[in-house]
Amino acid sequence: MIKNRKLNPKAKSEINTGFGINSSDYGGRFLNKNGQPNIEKRGLGYFEKISFYHILLTMPRWKFFGTILIFYFLINLTFGTIYFLLGVTEFAGIPTHSRFDEFAESFFFSCQTFTTVGYGGISPIGFLAGVFSSFEALIGLLSVAVVTGLLYGRFSKPKAYLRFSEKALLAPFHGGKAIMFRLAPFKNTILTDAEAKVSLGLIVEEDGKLVNKFFQLSLEYNSINSLTLNWTIVHPITETSPFYNFTKDDFKNSRGEIMVYVKAFDDMFSNTVVARTSYTLDEIIIGAAFEPMYHRSSKQNKTILHLNKLNSFSMVEAGLDDPLK
């Protein structure tokens, strides 16, 4: 937290940011590291405030396929139990060696009906067996259609395959200082016309009350034509920067967050993709500089990009004991 009188008067704050002004109503950071808003919605029923479609599209791959397998097992276990309770007299072809065999054959008959395979080894001959097997076949058809749509949606959904550095740095820059972080594409995609927008949210004491102040940070370059290697996004600390006159202690004691929005055009999807992240002020390494991520190959015919060096930096003499100017 900093007092309003310490803010650089040349740094103009934004009003229409989409975030609340009253700091006491806010908890934690504005954006999570994965770019999702740090918001928990309440006041509605569970099924009203969530979208299962969006959850299934965005959940991790192992959870998605695990959910499908669990659903497949439970639905067949349910109908298999129903067929088992109906009894062998409702079906033709179920062996009567033991109760376990009857249940196993009922379960596998459910799997065949659900997937509409119908091997023909077991068939319903009773009325109730015909009703339940027909209903299960309908559920199976609908389930296959839904899962097919979800699979297509997951594979065709445009996604920005960008990774951001875990930390931002306060580093020497052109005789002064700058806040910088970097990002890099990590898939075999071609991104063009990349644009970045960076905002700063600060908790400020104003007339004895804590309020949120937001500033648009000017960048060395806010757009590039092609994003094939890494991109180090730099905010030079000039007279118009909200960080002007900041000291080391200001960075340590202030509560603030740098919010990053990047969009680019992906040739593969032929669509615009978006990535977001944020850095709190305590996630800024003071007096550090990023190490190079790429170099010329040994045959000098190709550029090698080391994605494992995205977070590599080294400490430098920054001279930040005095206010930043």
Side-chain angles (χ1 to χ4, degrees), residues 9-20:
K10 295 184 179 181
K12 296 183 180 180
S13 62
E14 297 180 317
I15 299 177
N16 300 320
T17 63
F19 297 98

Side-chain angles (χ1 to χ4, degrees), residues 61-260:
R61 194 173 302 170
W62 68 271
K63 284 187 177 181
F64 175 74
F65 288 106
T67 300
I68 293 176
L69 289 176
I70 291 173
F71 172 77
Y72 178 78
F73 175 78
L74 291 178
I75 198 74
N76 285 296
L77 181 63
T78 300
F79 278 97
T81 302
I82 293 174
Y83 299 145
F84 173 73
L85 295 176
L86 289 177
V88 296
T89 57
E90 291 282 324
F91 299 90
I94 293 184
T96 57
H97 303 303
S98 66
R99 299 290 285 175
F100 176 79
D101 289 338
E102 293 178 11
F103 180 80
E105 293 296 337
S106 298
F107 177 82
F108 292 132
F109 171 73
S110 173
C111 295
Q112 297 163 19
T113 303
F114 183 78
T115 57
T116 67
V117 173
Y119 291 120
I122 302 174
S123 58
I125 57 176
F127 176 76
L128 289 178
V131 170
F132 282 107
S133 60
S134 299
F135 181 62
E136 184 183 13
L138 175 62
I139 294 177
L141 287 172
L142 295 176
S143 299
V144 169
V146 170
V147 171
T148 302
L150 288 170
L151 284 171
Y152 175 77
R154 287 179 65 90
F155 282 106
S156 62
K157 181 173 69 72
K159 182 178 179 181
Y161 292 106
L162 294 173
R163 285 187 179 170
F164 294 88
S165 58
E166 295 179 359
K167 303 289 185 180
L169 307 183
L170 178 55
F173 181 74
H174 292 177
K177 306 293 185 295
I179 301 288
M180 57 184 67
F181 55 90
R182 63 183 177 185
L183 56 95
F186 63 97
K187 293 283 188 179
N188 54 333
T189 55
I190 300 176
L191 299 177
T192 58
D193 299 324
E195 299 180 10
K197 181 179 180 181
V198 181
S199 300
L200 169 67
L202 276 178
I203 296 179
V204 178
E205 183 180 343
E206 192 173 71
D207 298 327
K209 182 180 179 181
L210 296 181
V211 297
N212 294 325
K213 288 279 189 177
F214 296 92
F215 304 88
Q216 183 71 32
L217 299 184
S218 59
L219 304 178
E220 179 193 22
Y221 300 104
N222 56 17
S223 64
I224 55 176
N225 293 332
S226 180
L227 183 51
T228 55
L229 298 171
N230 66 288
W231 181 15
T232 300
I233 298 178
V234 179
H235 165 61
I237 298 178
T238 63
E239 292 184 354
T240 60
S241 171
F243 290 116
Y244 194 70
N245 288 329
F246 260 48
T247 64
K248 272 187 177 182
D249 289 337
D250 289 328
F251 278 98
K252 293 179 180 179
N253 301 327
S254 301
R255 292 173 56 191
E257 183 175 347
I258 298 174
M259 293 165 284
V260 183

